[in-house]
Amino acid sequence: MRGGGLLVAGTTSDAGKSAVRQGVKVAPFKGQNMSLNSFVTREGAEIGRAQAMQAQAARVEPTALMNPVLLKPGSDRSSQVVLMGKPVGELSARGYHGGRQQELFEPVLACLEELRGMYDAVICEGAGSPAEINLRRTDIVNMGIARAAKLPVVVVGDIDRGGVFAQFFGTTALLSPEDQSLVAGYLVNKFRGDVTLLEPGLDMLHGLTGRRTFGVLPYAHGLGIDEEDGLRVSLRGTVRESVVAPPLGADVLRVAVCAVPLMSNFTDVDALAAEPGVVVRFVDRPEELVDADLVVVPGTRGTVKALAWLRERGLADALARRAAEGRPVLGICGGFQALGERIEDDVESKAGVVDGLGLLPVRVRFGVEKTLARPVGEALGERVEGYEIHHGVAEVLGGDAFLDGCRVGSVWGTHWHGSLESDGFRRAFLREVAAAAGRRFVPAPDTSFGALREEQLDRLGDLIEEHADTDALLRLIERGAPEGLPFVPPGAP
């Protein structure tokens, strides 16, 4: 079955994620991704974390081929464009859709074809809705790639948001006849309740469109699947709806994550949330730091903007008070930079020299070249693996060494994302935090974040196998969209 493919398109952004567990050698693909959550591959390329997670689910090594274009928002109207894992410039939305996007179509298509030559099947993920008629002319990720590569398309609808029948019908009816001929059917996601009550509607939808529904996936609480975009994270919700297991010691440990603007790689704190007795929440007010045992200042695409936000909100003063009292603070990447003495930025914000919070003896200068690395080291007597994605170059002027950053008292800072996924180091770090916070918290001795992630991916695979017609989906991958699918008027304007 070498070279088969399928495009999974959502009626809304993040409506469906692709996964296949049928003994087939599979690769994920997303031609263009917009996300502040990214990952560094072994060859030093930056791709979306969602594609890295999908590669893990498919038991293959992630590469830049799987996400050739990554857009990293720097504001509501502009993004850094990352091509084949390397930044190539900053563009406004108008500039990107006005011409640059089409220039990227051939490289995107070439990546897809290379993957199809390497794997039995390539599961492609769309972005947003395939019926964004204002952007269809320049589309390189939805129906544009499906048409060029002759891929069958399954449209996924998020029923939890309501209106799923209108989503399916309206999406199909807004596509051109050529695009509609590739839409093989639908998949319902996040359904709650009795599916027999839904089935008459699915039958009517089949009658209206001539297309079947390949499955109804139930709503699953607590699936720890990496998000595309940190911009939509709830400031009040716990990470991944995680159920906090009871602590081993007498106390829980409370972690507050400052929800800075353009927050990136907020997945760094998922490993903390996976620990029994650790409660993680996102905060945006200084009073929410008062009862926190650990405050995390996470990564951000806009360090200078995050600094201004921390000061405007009163969080900067609250962090300074914590440091003076010896209460734990951890800065990661942009958060680490913000904790330093000074930032010289003529690249990201072009603000020049800006004072940091002064909690760590570090000076940061932003360079044009982006650091993309997969470092391995040791801290607190434990082996640590991580990944780096940053323009800021840190000059450490004092303190104790800590993962290429530094530590002063109970304030830690590092450019390393993902370090807390190293189980031994995470436990050692939490013991330090608990001691500094005066909490009788004991880390679980056997929590494996990697194993927990595998369990979540297996849960997702089980859901699909149980509730979707995987045999029919495999036939689509092998043979393409059925011939003679009816046209649903009015079609694209």
Side-chain angles (χ1 to χ4, degrees):
M1 190 177 69
R2 178 70 71 182
L6 175 71
L7 175 70
V8 180
T11 60
T12 61
S13 183
D14 214 26
K17 300 296 180 190
S18 50
V20 171
R21 294 195 316 181
Q22 295 287 322
V24 178
K25 189 179 180 185
V26 180
F29 179 80
K30 186 164 187 173
Q32 170 201 296
N33 197 350
M34 177 175 279
S35 179
L36 288 171
N37 282 337
S38 58
F39 182 77
V40 179
T41 66
R42 293 202 182 279
E43 75 266 33
E46 184 179 10
I47 66 172
R49 273 197 69 96
Q51 280 62 66
M53 177 275 296
Q54 290 166 351
Q56 181 179 356
R59 306 295 190 266
V60 297
E61 188 67 33
T63 73
L65 291 172
M66 298 170 183
N67 180 206
V69 178
L70 174 64
L71 305 179
K72 301 195 73 175
S75 71
D76 290 340
R77 297 190 177 184
S78 68
S79 293
Q80 183 181 67
V81 181
V82 179
L83 176 62
M84 292 303 295
K86 306 295 180 184
V88 294
E90 194 91 14
L91 277 179
S92 67
R94 182 174 292 277
Y96 182 71
H97 290 289
R100 186 62 193 273
Q101 188 177 31
Q102 277 299 98
E103 295 175 15
L104 300 174
F105 187 69
E106 288 303 320
V108 166
L109 191 58
C111 288
L112 174 58
E113 291 308 310
E114 186 170 346
L115 285 174
R116 293 180 80 176
M118 297 164 59
Y119 291 89
D120 298 329
V122 179
I123 306 301
C124 305
E125 182 181 344
S129 165
E132 291 172 346
I133 53 179
N134 56 317
L135 303 177
R136 175 61 184 90
R137 182 180 60 83
T138 58
D139 171 44
I140 66 171
V141 66
N142 289 310
M143 300 310 299
I145 198 76
R147 281 269 292 278
K150 298 180 174 57
L151 294 174
V153 178
V154 172
V155 178
V156 180
D158 183 352
I159 197 170
D160 197 50
R161 299 188 184 190
V164 74
F165 295 119
Q167 293 172 28
F168 287 147
F169 183 86
T171 295
T172 308
L174 280 175
L175 300 178
S176 68
E178 295 81 3
D179 286 352
Q180 284 194 28
S181 69
L182 296 173
V183 176
Y186 313 109
L187 190 69
V188 177
N189 197 16
K190 298 183 182 178
F191 178 72
R192 308 172 193 247
D194 185 349
V195 73
T196 61
L197 299 177
L198 187 69
E199 288 169 348
L202 300 178
D203 292 339
M204 286 184 273
L205 181 69
H206 184 272
L208 289 167
T209 66
R211 290 159 175 86
R212 60 166 296 188
T213 298
F214 290 96
V216 178
L217 304 183
Y219 193 103
H221 291 276
L223 270 178
I225 304 302
D226 288 354
E227 300 278 354
E228 279 188 352
D229 193 350
L231 296 177
R232 293 191 302 274
V233 68
S234 166
L235 299 184
R236 300 288 175 260
T238 56
V239 179
R240 301 289 179 278
E241 303 178 4
S242 56
V243 178
V244 179
L248 269 68
D251 294 335
V252 299
L253 210 60
R254 295 173 176 83
V255 179
V257 185
C258 296
V260 296
L262 300 173
M263 182 167 43
S264 62
N265 289 69
F266 67 91
T267 49
D268 282 329
V269 299
D270 282 359
L272 295 178
E275 283 286 345
V278 176
V279 182
V280 178
R281 65 183 187 274
F282 291 92
V283 303
D284 60 352
R285 296 192 297 262
E287 58 268 27
E288 295 176 297
L289 271 56
V290 173
D291 68 342
D293 302 306
L294 168 67
V295 174
V296 178
V297 187
T300 171
R301 172 83 164 84
T303 302
V304 170
K305 183 179 290 187
L307 265 170
W309 181 87
L310 289 167
R311 288 181 167 122
E312 290 165 3
R313 295 271 176 156
L315 289 161
D317 290 339
L319 288 168
R321 286 193 297 272
R322 288 187 66 89
E325 295 165 359
R327 303 177 66 201
V329 176
L330 170 65
I332 302 174
C333 199
F336 165 46
Q337 297 166 6
L339 296 180
E341 297 174 353
R342 189 181 73 188
I343 294 170
E344 184 181 340
D345 181 11
D346 295 317
V347 176
E348 191 175 76
S349 68
K350 298 181 172 59
V353 177
V354 177
D355 287 337
L357 299 184
L359 305 185
L360 290 174
V362 175
R363 294 180 181 177
V364 176
R365 178 184 54 81
F366 274 69
V368 175
E369 295 297 319
K370 180 184 280 192
T371 298
L372 297 169
R374 291 275 291 270
V376 177
E378 184 177 301
L380 304 179
E382 298 287 347
R383 186 176 187 274
V384 188
E385 296 183 26
Y387 57 98
E388 295 183 69
I389 307 169
H390 54 92
H391 283 280
V393 179
E395 180 186 6
V396 178
L397 303 172
D400 298 321
F402 177 71
L403 300 180
D404 292 341
C406 67
R407 170 187 180 179
V408 175
S410 291
V411 180
W412 293 266
T414 177
H415 270 134
W416 292 21
H417 294 290
S419 62
L420 293 166
E421 295 179 19
S422 297
D423 297 324
F425 165 70
R426 183 180 64 255
R427 287 192 278 270
F429 177 71
L430 289 175
R431 280 193 290 269
E432 293 258 345
V433 168
R439 296 288 185 188
R440 293 172 296 169
F441 170 83
V442 178
D446 55 355
T447 300
S448 167
F449 184 71
L452 288 172
R453 178 178 280 164
E454 286 292 327
E455 287 175 14
Q456 300 292 59
L457 292 172
D458 285 340
R459 283 184 62 201
L460 181 60
D462 291 342
L463 283 175
I464 293 171
E465 284 192 359
E466 184 177 351
H467 298 282
D469 188 343
T470 54
D471 289 339
L473 291 172
L474 279 172
R475 286 194 295 272
L476 279 183
I477 292 170
E478 291 175 347
R479 305 171 191 173
E483 296 288 337
L485 290 168
F487 172 68
V488 180

